[in-house]
Amino acid sequence: MAEILETDIVIIGGGIAGLWLNYRLRTAGYSTVLLERQSLGGGQSVRSQGIIHGGTKYALHGALTNASNAIADMPARWRACLKGEGDVDLTSARILSEHHYMWSRDRLMSKLTSFFASKAVRGRVEADDLEHRPEAFKDPGFHGNFYALNEIVVDVPSVINSLTSPFGDGIYQYDCAQHSSLELDNGKVNDLQLFGKNKRVRIKAKRYILAAGEGNESVLHSAQLQGPAMQRRPLHMVVVKHHYPHPIYAHCIGSGSKPLLTITTHYMADGQPVWYLGGNLAETGVELDKQTQLDSAKTIVKELLPWIDLGDAQWNSFMIHRAEPQQNAMLRPDSAFVHQSENIITCWPTKLALTPNLVDEVFAKLKQDNITPGAETDYNQLKFLNRPTVSQPVWEDLLS
Ligand SMILES: Cc1cc2nc3c(=O)[nH]c(=O)nc-3n(C[C@H](O)[C@H](O)[C@H](O)COP(=O)(O)OP(=O)(O)OC[C@H]3O[C@@H](n4cnc5c(N)ncnc54)[C@H](O)[C@@H]3O)c2cc1C
Protein backbone atom coordinates (compact mmCIF):
# COMPACT_ATOMS: atom_id res chain seq x y z
CA MET A 1 0.00 0.00 0.00
CA ALA A 2 1.29 3.45 -0.87
CA GLU A 3 1.42 6.12 1.81
CA ILE A 4 -0.05 9.51 0.94
CA LEU A 5 1.96 12.66 1.56
CA GLU A 6 0.33 16.06 1.27
CA THR A 7 2.22 19.18 0.25
CA ASP A 8 1.30 22.48 -1.39
CA ILE A 9 3.78 22.38 -4.26
CA VAL A 10 6.02 19.74 -5.82
CA ILE A 11 9.06 21.06 -7.70
CA ILE A 12 10.92 18.78 -10.10
CA GLY A 13 14.54 19.87 -10.69
CA GLY A 14 17.11 21.43 -8.37
CA GLY A 15 18.83 23.92 -10.65
CA ILE A 16 18.69 27.67 -10.12
CA ALA A 17 15.00 27.82 -11.14
CA GLY A 18 13.77 25.04 -8.85
CA LEU A 19 15.83 26.17 -5.88
CA TRP A 20 14.95 29.88 -6.14
CA LEU A 21 11.29 28.90 -6.48
CA ASN A 22 11.55 26.58 -3.49
CA TYR A 23 13.10 29.33 -1.37
CA ARG A 24 10.45 31.90 -2.32
CA LEU A 25 7.59 29.45 -1.82
CA ARG A 26 8.82 28.34 1.60
CA THR A 27 9.34 31.93 2.79
CA ALA A 28 5.79 32.71 1.59
CA GLY A 29 4.49 29.87 3.82
CA TYR A 30 3.90 27.16 1.20
CA SER A 31 5.00 23.62 1.97
CA THR A 32 7.08 22.09 -0.82
CA VAL A 33 8.89 18.94 -1.88
CA LEU A 34 11.75 19.43 -4.38
CA LEU A 35 13.05 16.38 -6.25
CA GLU A 36 16.44 16.47 -7.94
CA ARG A 37 17.70 13.63 -10.14
CA GLN A 38 21.44 14.02 -9.48
CA SER A 39 23.19 17.01 -7.90
CA LEU A 40 21.92 20.51 -7.17
CA GLY A 41 22.83 22.93 -9.95
CA GLY A 42 24.48 20.09 -11.84
CA GLY A 43 22.56 20.62 -15.10
CA GLN A 44 23.21 24.00 -16.71
CA SER A 45 23.33 26.23 -13.63
CA VAL A 46 26.76 25.39 -12.16
CA ARG A 47 28.14 25.16 -15.72
CA SER A 48 26.95 28.64 -16.62
CA GLN A 49 29.35 31.57 -16.71
CA GLY A 50 27.46 33.30 -13.90
CA ILE A 51 26.96 36.60 -15.74
CA ILE A 52 23.90 38.46 -14.56
CA HIS A 53 23.11 40.11 -17.86
CA GLY A 54 21.33 43.40 -18.17
CA GLY A 55 20.73 42.79 -21.87
CA THR A 56 23.52 44.90 -23.36
CA LYS A 57 25.06 42.08 -25.34
CA TYR A 58 21.71 41.46 -27.04
CA ALA A 59 21.47 45.11 -27.99
CA LEU A 60 24.73 45.31 -29.88
CA HIS A 61 23.07 46.33 -33.12
CA GLY A 62 21.55 49.39 -31.60
CA ALA A 63 17.91 48.35 -31.54
CA LEU A 64 16.90 47.49 -27.99
CA THR A 65 14.28 44.78 -28.10
CA ASN A 66 11.68 43.78 -25.52
CA ALA A 67 14.19 41.13 -24.53
CA SER A 68 16.78 43.61 -23.51
CA ASN A 69 14.16 45.68 -21.67
CA ALA A 70 12.78 42.66 -19.77
CA ILE A 71 16.23 41.64 -18.64
CA ALA A 72 17.36 45.17 -17.76
CA ASP A 73 15.99 44.95 -14.19
CA MET A 74 17.75 41.70 -13.37
CA PRO A 75 21.18 42.98 -12.21
CA ALA A 76 19.44 45.26 -9.65
CA ARG A 77 17.24 42.37 -8.44
CA TRP A 78 20.30 40.15 -7.93
CA ARG A 79 22.35 42.92 -6.31
CA ALA A 80 19.55 43.46 -3.77
CA CYS A 81 19.55 39.72 -2.94
CA LEU A 82 23.34 39.67 -2.65
CA LYS A 83 23.12 42.58 -0.19
CA GLY A 84 20.41 40.82 1.85
CA GLU A 85 17.74 43.28 0.71
CA GLY A 86 15.97 41.18 -1.90
CA ASP A 87 13.38 38.41 -1.95
CA VAL A 88 16.00 35.69 -1.33
CA ASP A 89 19.05 36.06 0.92
CA LEU A 90 22.24 35.60 -1.09
CA THR A 91 24.56 37.34 1.38
CA SER A 92 26.64 34.18 1.73
CA ALA A 93 27.05 33.83 -2.06
CA ARG A 94 30.20 35.19 -3.73
CA ILE A 95 30.35 37.96 -6.30
CA LEU A 96 33.20 37.20 -8.68
CA SER A 97 33.13 40.63 -10.29
CA GLU A 98 31.14 43.80 -9.64
CA HIS A 99 31.13 44.40 -13.41
CA HIS A 100 31.16 42.44 -16.58
CA TYR A 101 33.09 44.29 -19.31
CA MET A 102 33.23 44.58 -23.09
CA TRP A 103 36.35 45.15 -25.10
CA SER A 104 37.26 45.36 -28.75
CA ARG A 105 40.59 44.33 -30.16
CA ASP A 106 40.94 47.45 -32.30
CA ARG A 107 39.33 50.84 -32.01
CA LEU A 108 35.65 50.33 -32.75
CA MET A 109 33.84 51.53 -35.83
CA SER A 110 32.10 54.83 -35.20
CA LYS A 111 28.69 53.11 -35.53
CA LEU A 112 29.37 51.03 -32.45
CA THR A 113 31.00 53.78 -30.42
CA SER A 114 27.99 56.04 -30.98
CA PHE A 115 25.74 53.15 -29.94
CA PHE A 116 27.60 52.87 -26.65
CA ALA A 117 27.23 56.60 -26.12
CA SER A 118 23.53 56.54 -27.04
CA LYS A 119 20.45 56.98 -24.87
CA ALA A 120 19.54 53.33 -25.53
CA VAL A 121 22.32 51.96 -23.37
CA ARG A 122 22.49 54.78 -20.83
CA GLY A 123 22.67 53.33 -17.32
CA ARG A 124 23.80 49.97 -18.68
CA VAL A 125 27.26 50.86 -19.92
CA GLU A 126 29.97 53.14 -18.60
CA ALA A 127 32.57 54.44 -21.02
CA ASP A 128 36.23 53.70 -20.76
CA ASP A 129 38.01 54.81 -17.59
CA LEU A 130 41.66 53.82 -17.55
CA GLU A 131 42.05 54.23 -13.81
CA HIS A 132 39.24 51.82 -12.98
CA ARG A 133 39.98 49.26 -15.66
CA PRO A 134 40.83 45.77 -14.49
CA GLU A 135 44.60 45.14 -14.48
CA ALA A 136 44.48 42.84 -17.51
CA PHE A 137 43.34 45.75 -19.72
CA LYS A 138 45.78 48.37 -18.37
CA ASP A 139 48.57 46.74 -20.35
CA PRO A 140 50.17 49.08 -22.95
CA GLY A 141 49.72 46.23 -25.42
CA PHE A 142 45.94 46.77 -25.38
CA HIS A 143 44.75 49.25 -28.03
CA GLY A 144 40.99 48.65 -28.29
CA ASN A 145 37.90 50.22 -26.72
CA PHE A 146 36.77 49.21 -23.26
CA TYR A 147 33.40 49.49 -21.50
CA ALA A 148 32.09 48.51 -18.08
CA LEU A 149 28.60 47.01 -18.19
CA ASN A 150 26.11 47.34 -15.38
CA GLU A 151 26.19 43.57 -14.89
CA ILE A 152 27.70 41.38 -12.18
CA VAL A 153 29.29 37.95 -12.27
CA VAL A 154 28.44 35.50 -9.49
CA ASP A 155 29.98 32.29 -8.25
CA VAL A 156 27.08 29.95 -9.05
CA PRO A 157 27.87 27.05 -6.65
CA SER A 158 27.80 29.52 -3.74
CA VAL A 159 24.43 30.88 -4.98
CA ILE A 160 23.08 27.32 -5.15
CA ASN A 161 24.32 26.73 -1.60
CA SER A 162 22.64 29.89 -0.28
CA LEU A 163 19.33 28.89 -1.85
CA THR A 164 19.54 25.32 -0.59
CA SER A 165 20.65 25.57 3.02
CA PRO A 166 17.65 27.31 4.65
CA PHE A 167 15.10 24.88 3.18
CA GLY A 168 17.12 21.71 2.63
CA ASP A 169 14.61 19.69 4.69
CA GLY A 170 12.25 19.40 1.70
CA ILE A 171 14.90 18.59 -0.93
CA TYR A 172 15.42 14.95 -2.03
CA GLN A 173 17.17 12.94 -4.71
CA TYR A 174 14.79 11.28 -7.12
CA ASP A 175 14.54 10.88 -10.90
CA CYS A 176 10.98 11.84 -11.83
CA ALA A 177 11.31 10.52 -15.38
CA GLN A 178 11.50 6.95 -14.10
CA HIS A 179 8.60 4.61 -13.27
CA SER A 180 6.07 7.10 -14.76
CA SER A 181 6.24 9.13 -11.56
CA LEU A 182 3.38 11.45 -12.50
CA GLU A 183 -0.03 9.76 -12.30
CA LEU A 184 -2.54 11.40 -14.59
CA ASP A 185 -6.26 11.76 -14.61
CA ASN A 186 -7.73 13.55 -17.64
CA GLY A 187 -4.58 15.61 -18.33
CA LYS A 188 -4.36 16.59 -14.67
CA VAL A 189 -1.73 15.20 -12.30
CA ASN A 190 -3.38 13.11 -9.63
CA ASP A 191 -0.22 12.48 -7.66
CA LEU A 192 3.50 11.88 -7.97
CA GLN A 193 4.63 8.40 -6.99
CA LEU A 194 7.98 7.75 -5.35
CA PHE A 195 9.26 4.21 -5.20
CA GLY A 196 11.77 3.08 -2.56
CA LYS A 197 13.05 -0.41 -1.82
CA ASN A 198 10.05 -1.51 0.23
CA LYS A 199 8.14 1.68 0.13
CA ARG A 200 5.83 3.69 -2.12
CA VAL A 201 4.71 7.23 -1.37
CA ARG A 202 2.14 9.18 -3.40
CA ILE A 203 2.63 12.92 -3.11
CA LYS A 204 -0.53 14.94 -3.56
CA ALA A 205 0.04 18.61 -4.30
CA LYS A 206 -1.91 21.62 -5.51
CA ARG A 207 0.62 22.33 -8.24
CA TYR A 208 3.41 20.27 -9.88
CA ILE A 209 6.17 22.52 -11.19
CA LEU A 210 8.57 21.17 -13.82
CA ALA A 211 11.87 23.08 -13.44
CA ALA A 212 14.11 20.29 -14.69
CA GLY A 213 15.89 22.24 -17.47
CA GLU A 214 16.69 19.85 -20.32
CA GLY A 215 15.03 17.11 -18.23
CA ASN A 216 11.55 18.70 -18.56
CA GLU A 217 11.18 16.95 -21.90
CA SER A 218 11.71 13.45 -20.49
CA VAL A 219 9.55 14.10 -17.42
CA LEU A 220 6.69 15.20 -19.70
CA HIS A 221 7.34 12.32 -22.08
CA SER A 222 7.43 9.66 -19.34
CA ALA A 223 4.04 10.83 -18.10
CA GLN A 224 2.74 10.97 -21.71
CA LEU A 225 1.97 14.63 -21.20
CA GLN A 226 1.79 17.05 -24.09
CA GLY A 227 3.79 19.93 -22.68
CA PRO A 228 5.37 22.93 -24.37
CA ALA A 229 8.06 21.98 -26.91
CA MET A 230 11.70 22.46 -25.98
CA GLN A 231 14.80 23.36 -27.97
CA ARG A 232 18.43 22.59 -27.17
CA ARG A 233 21.15 25.08 -28.09
CA PRO A 234 24.48 23.22 -28.09
CA LEU A 235 27.69 24.87 -26.89
CA HIS A 236 31.29 23.64 -26.98
CA MET A 237 32.81 25.37 -23.93
CA VAL A 238 36.54 25.60 -23.21
CA VAL A 239 38.28 25.69 -19.80
CA VAL A 240 41.89 26.81 -19.23
CA LYS A 241 43.86 26.42 -16.01
CA HIS A 242 46.83 28.82 -15.91
CA HIS A 243 48.96 31.10 -13.73
CA TYR A 244 48.05 34.52 -15.22
CA PRO A 245 47.24 36.51 -12.08
CA HIS A 246 44.62 39.04 -13.27
CA PRO A 247 40.99 37.92 -13.59
CA ILE A 248 38.97 38.74 -16.73
CA TYR A 249 35.19 39.01 -16.94
CA ALA A 250 34.46 40.34 -20.42
CA HIS A 251 32.96 39.91 -23.88
CA CYS A 252 35.17 40.70 -26.85
CA ILE A 253 33.10 42.36 -29.55
CA GLY A 254 33.83 42.50 -33.23
CA SER A 255 31.65 43.84 -36.00
CA GLY A 256 28.93 41.19 -35.55
CA SER A 257 26.03 41.09 -33.14
CA LYS A 258 27.47 38.30 -30.97
CA PRO A 259 30.54 38.47 -28.75
CA LEU A 260 33.52 36.75 -30.41
CA LEU A 261 34.62 35.44 -27.06
CA THR A 262 33.29 35.65 -23.51
CA ILE A 263 35.76 35.07 -20.68
CA THR A 264 34.94 34.57 -17.02
CA THR A 265 37.50 33.67 -14.36
CA HIS A 266 36.87 31.09 -11.65
CA TYR A 267 39.09 29.37 -9.12
CA MET A 268 39.88 25.71 -8.61
CA ALA A 269 39.62 24.27 -5.09
CA ASP A 270 43.43 24.68 -4.87
CA GLY A 271 43.09 28.41 -5.66
CA GLN A 272 44.47 28.27 -9.22
CA PRO A 273 42.61 30.46 -11.75
CA VAL A 274 40.58 28.97 -14.57
CA TRP A 275 39.28 30.86 -17.58
CA TYR A 276 35.91 29.69 -18.80
CA LEU A 277 35.51 30.51 -22.51
CA GLY A 278 32.16 30.94 -24.26
CA GLY A 279 30.60 33.31 -26.81
CA ASN A 280 30.89 32.69 -30.52
CA LEU A 281 33.79 30.31 -29.90
CA ALA A 282 31.42 27.93 -28.09
CA GLU A 283 28.55 28.36 -30.57
CA THR A 284 30.58 27.75 -33.72
CA GLY A 285 32.68 25.07 -32.00
CA VAL A 286 29.80 22.61 -31.80
CA GLU A 287 30.78 21.19 -35.18
CA LEU A 288 34.40 20.67 -34.09
CA ASP A 289 36.06 17.77 -32.31
CA LYS A 290 37.86 18.47 -29.03
CA GLN A 291 41.35 18.95 -30.49
CA THR A 292 40.20 21.29 -33.25
CA GLN A 293 38.14 23.33 -30.76
CA LEU A 294 41.12 23.63 -28.41
CA ASP A 295 43.34 24.73 -31.31
CA SER A 296 40.81 27.36 -32.34
CA ALA A 297 40.46 28.55 -28.70
CA LYS A 298 44.25 28.98 -28.44
CA THR A 299 44.32 30.91 -31.71
CA ILE A 300 41.49 33.26 -30.78
CA VAL A 301 42.91 33.95 -27.30
CA LYS A 302 46.27 34.84 -28.87
CA GLU A 303 44.59 37.04 -31.45
CA LEU A 304 42.27 38.92 -29.07
CA LEU A 305 44.59 39.16 -26.04
CA PRO A 306 48.06 39.27 -27.66
CA TRP A 307 49.68 40.86 -24.59
CA ILE A 308 48.76 37.90 -22.35
CA ASP A 309 50.98 34.83 -22.18
CA LEU A 310 49.21 31.86 -20.60
CA GLY A 311 52.44 29.86 -20.56
CA ASP A 312 52.03 26.16 -19.90
CA ALA A 313 48.27 26.35 -19.42
CA GLN A 314 46.14 23.21 -19.25
CA TRP A 315 43.23 23.26 -21.75
CA ASN A 316 40.09 21.14 -22.01
CA SER A 317 36.58 21.40 -23.46
CA PHE A 318 33.13 19.86 -23.15
CA MET A 319 29.74 19.99 -24.86
CA ILE A 320 26.56 21.11 -23.16
CA HIS A 321 23.04 22.15 -24.20
CA ARG A 322 21.13 25.22 -23.20
CA ALA A 323 17.51 24.13 -22.74
CA GLU A 324 14.82 26.60 -23.74
CA PRO A 325 11.25 26.68 -25.03
CA GLN A 326 11.00 26.07 -28.76
CA GLN A 327 11.52 29.25 -30.80
CA ASN A 328 11.34 29.91 -34.50
CA ALA A 329 14.70 29.63 -36.26
CA MET A 330 16.48 28.87 -32.97
CA LEU A 331 16.31 32.52 -31.91
CA ARG A 332 17.17 33.26 -28.32
CA PRO A 333 14.06 33.37 -26.17
CA ASP A 334 13.36 36.81 -24.79
CA SER A 335 12.40 36.23 -21.20
CA ALA A 336 11.69 33.54 -18.62
CA PHE A 337 9.13 31.03 -19.89
CA VAL A 338 6.29 29.74 -17.71
CA HIS A 339 3.48 27.59 -19.12
CA GLN A 340 0.53 26.16 -17.25
CA SER A 341 -1.77 23.32 -18.23
CA GLU A 342 -4.25 22.16 -15.56
CA ASN A 343 -2.21 21.73 -12.35
CA ILE A 344 1.16 21.43 -14.12
CA ILE A 345 3.49 24.38 -14.58
CA THR A 346 6.46 23.91 -16.92
CA CYS A 347 9.22 26.51 -16.86
CA TRP A 348 12.63 27.46 -18.22
CA PRO A 349 14.38 30.64 -17.04
CA THR A 350 16.28 30.65 -20.37
CA LYS A 351 19.04 32.53 -18.52
CA LEU A 352 20.33 32.30 -15.01
CA ALA A 353 19.87 36.08 -14.81
CA LEU A 354 16.12 35.78 -15.49
CA THR A 355 15.36 33.46 -12.56
CA PRO A 356 13.74 36.20 -10.39
CA ASN A 357 11.52 36.98 -13.39
CA LEU A 358 10.53 33.29 -13.67
CA VAL A 359 9.63 33.10 -9.98
CA ASP A 360 7.48 36.26 -10.26
CA GLU A 361 5.61 34.65 -13.16
CA VAL A 362 4.97 31.44 -11.19
CA PHE A 363 3.68 33.44 -8.22
CA ALA A 364 1.36 35.35 -10.56
CA LYS A 365 -0.10 32.03 -11.74
CA LEU A 366 -0.61 30.78 -8.19
CA LYS A 367 -2.32 34.03 -7.25
CA GLN A 368 -4.52 33.92 -10.32
CA ASP A 369 -5.73 30.41 -9.32
CA ASN A 370 -6.01 31.29 -5.64
CA ILE A 371 -3.46 28.64 -4.62
CA THR A 372 -2.63 29.52 -1.03
CA PRO A 373 -0.38 27.85 1.57
CA GLY A 374 -2.07 25.27 3.79
CA ALA A 375 -0.81 21.69 3.58
CA GLU A 376 1.36 20.37 6.43
CA THR A 377 4.10 18.12 5.05
CA ASP A 378 5.50 15.29 7.12
CA TYR A 379 9.04 14.96 5.75
CA ASN A 380 9.56 11.82 7.89
CA GLN A 381 7.65 9.94 5.21
CA LEU A 382 10.46 10.68 2.73
CA LYS A 383 13.32 9.56 4.98
CA PHE A 384 13.98 6.63 2.66
CA LEU A 385 15.27 9.01 -0.06
CA ASN A 386 18.83 10.38 -0.31
CA ARG A 387 19.72 14.05 -0.19
CA PRO A 388 21.40 15.54 -3.28
CA THR A 389 24.62 17.55 -2.78
CA VAL A 390 25.63 20.74 -4.61
CA SER A 391 27.38 19.99 -7.89
CA GLN A 392 31.06 20.82 -8.17
CA PRO A 393 32.28 22.99 -11.05
CA VAL A 394 33.11 21.21 -14.27
CA TRP A 395 36.80 22.28 -14.16
CA GLU A 396 37.36 20.22 -11.02
CA ASP A 397 36.67 17.14 -13.16
CA LEU A 398 38.32 18.33 -16.37
CA LEU A 399 41.45 20.04 -15.08
CA SER A 400 42.56 18.39 -11.89
C1 LIG B 1 27.63 26.89 -20.86
C2 LIG B 1 26.49 27.76 -20.38
C3 LIG B 1 26.76 29.07 -19.95
C4 LIG B 1 25.72 29.89 -19.50
N1 LIG B 1 26.02 31.14 -19.03
C5 LIG B 1 25.04 31.92 -18.57
C6 LIG B 1 25.35 33.20 -18.02
O1 LIG B 1 26.50 33.60 -17.92
N2 LIG B 1 24.31 33.97 -17.59
C7 LIG B 1 23.01 33.56 -17.68
O2 LIG B 1 22.13 34.32 -17.29
N3 LIG B 1 22.68 32.32 -18.16
C8 LIG B 1 23.67 31.50 -18.59
N4 LIG B 1 23.36 30.25 -19.05
C9 LIG B 1 21.97 29.78 -19.02
C10 LIG B 1 21.64 29.26 -17.62
O3 LIG B 1 22.68 28.45 -17.14
C11 LIG B 1 20.34 28.49 -17.63
O4 LIG B 1 19.32 29.23 -18.24
C12 LIG B 1 19.88 28.14 -16.21
O5 LIG B 1 20.95 27.66 -15.43
C13 LIG B 1 18.78 27.09 -16.27
O6 LIG B 1 18.43 26.76 -14.95
P1 LIG B 1 17.39 25.58 -14.66
O7 LIG B 1 17.27 25.51 -13.19
O8 LIG B 1 16.17 25.78 -15.48
O9 LIG B 1 18.07 24.29 -15.29
P2 LIG B 1 19.30 23.38 -14.76
O10 LIG B 1 20.36 24.17 -14.10
O11 LIG B 1 19.70 22.56 -15.95
O12 LIG B 1 18.62 22.50 -13.66
C14 LIG B 1 17.70 21.50 -13.93
C15 LIG B 1 17.85 20.42 -12.86
O13 LIG B 1 16.82 19.46 -13.07
C16 LIG B 1 17.35 18.18 -12.80
N5 LIG B 1 16.56 17.16 -13.49
C17 LIG B 1 16.57 16.86 -14.81
N6 LIG B 1 15.75 15.83 -15.05
C18 LIG B 1 15.20 15.47 -13.86
C19 LIG B 1 14.30 14.44 -13.47
N7 LIG B 1 13.84 13.55 -14.35
N8 LIG B 1 13.94 14.35 -12.15
C20 LIG B 1 14.45 15.21 -11.23
N9 LIG B 1 15.34 16.19 -11.56
C21 LIG B 1 15.69 16.32 -12.86
C22 LIG B 1 18.79 18.27 -13.34
O14 LIG B 1 19.62 17.26 -12.75
C23 LIG B 1 19.17 19.68 -12.94
O15 LIG B 1 19.83 19.74 -11.68
C24 LIG B 1 24.39 29.41 -19.51
C25 LIG B 1 24.11 28.11 -19.93
C26 LIG B 1 25.16 27.29 -20.35
C27 LIG B 1 24.84 25.88 -20.78
Side-chain angles (χ1 to χ4, degrees), residues 12-18 35-39 41-45 47-51 53 174-177 211-215 219 235 237 276 320-322 348-353:
I12 300 177
I16 190 82
L35 299 162
E36 162 55 45
R37 178 175 58 182
Q38 261 167 340
S39 57
Q44 300 156 85
S45 300
R47 291 169 187 187
S48 79
Q49 292 193 279
I51 305 161
H53 299 290
Y174 197 80
D175 182 345
C176 299
E214 191 175 4
V219 174
L235 295 169
M237 302 295 287
Y276 193 20
I320 184 167
H321 290 138
R322 289 179 90 140
W348 288 281
T350 72
K351 287 172 196 70
L352 188 84

Side-chain angles (χ1 to χ4, degrees), residues 12 176 180-192 208-210 216-229 339-346:
I12 300 177
C176 299
S180 319
S181 306
L182 292 169
E183 276 275 308
L184 295 188
D185 184 7
N186 271 333
K188 215 174 150 174
V189 176
N190 205 21
D191 56 53
L192 185 144
Y208 299 83
I209 302 183
L210 273 55
N216 278 347
E217 194 177 67
S218 51
V219 174
L220 288 164
H221 186 75
S222 69
Q224 296 177 333
L225 268 165
Q226 195 76 50
H339 171 274
Q340 183 170 357
S341 165
E342 301 287 353
N343 56 354
I344 309 149
I345 296 176
T346 306

